[in-house]
């Protein structure tokens, strides 16, 4: 947990004058998420394999999402591990990639470790050959690999996408082959009443939060809703 938080804190904000670190400018609330996810790896199994995070608008959601996935890429020790950051639309995915690339460009030492391929929106750790790919949420690409970690940004935009629940279920199924895998769903609230996949995830998260449901399946631990 401490190592992951230290790496997260050292990342620099690319779109702020002077490029302050997240340790200087980031919120403690998100460090709690980093600590929970990465500090729960015990005996090769991640005991907090998932987070559902609902945040107000303008709280650096996409920036924090990019930062936590870069942290995963740097903390990971599995050779050739696959990580993914999904945006529900091309625009959201592009914003996330720009944020991740900007953090790397703002740190010369980090740029020596992480190689950025803009044409494929892929970031590779030169030491482990692990990759982080930023892409739109689509059944073909989302189910194409066994991810060691994934993040889905702005999940509320998938409320009425008929395949969303199925694809997320398949992503979570990676734990059968990659026991240290994790999944993070991070979103703002929808302008319309929650519906479909988003409503199901939100209602279950709130029940877990309120102690109405004991999520003993190990599939996901949700908080901050």
């Amino acid at each position: 947990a401490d190592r992951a938080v230290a790496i997260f804190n050292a990342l620099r904000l690319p779109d702020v004058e002077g490029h302050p670190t997240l340790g200087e400018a980031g919120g403690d609330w998100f460090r709690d998420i980093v600590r929970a996810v990465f500090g729960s790896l015990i005996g090769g199994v991640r005991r907090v394999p998932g987070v559902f995070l609902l945040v107000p608008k303008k709280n650096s959601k996409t920036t924090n999402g990019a930062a936590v996935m870069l942290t995963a890429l740097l903390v990971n020790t599995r050779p050739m591990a696959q990580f993914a950051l999904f945006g529900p639309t091309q625009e959201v995915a592009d914003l996330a990639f720009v944020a991740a690339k900007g953090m790397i460009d703002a740190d010369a030492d980090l740029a020596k470790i992480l190689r950025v391929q803009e044409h494929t929106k892929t970031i590779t750790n030169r030491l482990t050959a692990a990759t982080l790919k930023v892409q739109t949420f689509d059944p073909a690409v989302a189910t194409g690999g066994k991810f060691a970690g994934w993040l889905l940004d702005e999940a509320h935009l998938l409320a009425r996408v008929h395949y969303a629940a199925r694809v997320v279920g398949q992503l979570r199924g990676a734990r059968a082959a990659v026991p240290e895998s994790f999944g993070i769903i991070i979103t703002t609230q929808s302008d319309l009443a929650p519906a479909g996949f988003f409503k199901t995830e939100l209602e279950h998260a709130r029940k877990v939060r309120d102690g109405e449901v004991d999520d003993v399946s190990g599939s996901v631990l949700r908080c901050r809703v």
Side-chain angles (χ1 to χ4, degrees):
D2 289 342
R3 180 168 177 255
V5 169
I7 290 173
F8 178 85
N9 283 342
L11 296 172
R12 294 187 174 276
L13 292 173
D15 57 349
V16 178
E17 185 176 357
H19 300 314
T21 65
L22 283 168
E24 298 167 326
D28 286 336
W29 65 274
F30 203 85
R31 274 184 280 273
D32 290 344
I33 304 301
V34 175
R35 191 175 298 279
V37 172
F38 296 105
S40 64
L41 188 60
I42 302 171
V45 178
R46 198 171 306 278
R47 305 299 179 177
V48 180
V51 174
F52 183 101
L53 184 62
L54 182 68
V55 297
K57 297 181 186 298
K58 305 304 179 183
N59 271 264
S60 301
K61 172 185 58 60
T62 298
T63 299
N64 283 328
V68 76
M69 294 311 293
L70 286 182
T71 299
L73 193 59
L74 292 164
V75 168
N76 164 72
T77 58
R78 178 184 288 268
M80 302 179 68
Q82 298 179 64
F83 296 90
L85 198 167
F86 297 107
T89 65
Q90 187 66 53
E91 181 181 8
V92 174
D94 287 346
L95 287 172
F97 179 74
V98 167
K101 179 180 181 299
M103 292 176 192
I104 297 169
D105 291 343
D107 188 325
D109 291 331
L110 194 58
K112 295 176 183 177
I113 301 173
L114 302 180
R115 177 168 63 94
V116 179
Q117 295 170 280
E118 293 193 48
H119 64 293
T120 59
K121 291 185 172 59
T122 301
I123 300 169
T124 303
N125 186 319
R126 290 185 170 96
L127 303 178
T128 61
T131 58
L132 167 62
K133 188 164 186 177
V134 183
Q135 54 199 317
T136 53
F137 186 83
D138 177 88
V141 294
T143 59
K146 294 180 175 64
F147 296 105
W150 54 270
L151 184 145
L152 173 58
D153 195 3
E154 288 293 37
H156 75 89
L157 294 177
L158 296 170
R160 292 175 173 80
V161 174
H162 67 88
Y163 56 76
R166 173 172 56 85
V167 172
V168 168
Q170 290 174 337
L171 289 171
R172 287 172 176 154
R175 279 178 58 79
V178 188
E180 77 273 19
S181 69
F182 66 87
I184 298 173
I185 295 177
I186 181 170
T187 183
T188 54
Q189 185 58 275
S190 57
D191 294 328
L192 302 175
F197 159 77
F198 175 59
K199 181 180 180 180
T200 299
E201 290 286 326
L202 180 61
E203 288 181 346
H204 183 68
R206 285 176 168 161
K207 288 178 180 178
V208 173
R209 177 199 63 187
D210 296 339
E212 297 176 16
V213 173
D214 185 10
D215 196 337
V216 297
S217 66
S219 62
V220 66
L221 173 69
R222 299 163 171 86
C223 58
R224 299 280 185 180
V225 287

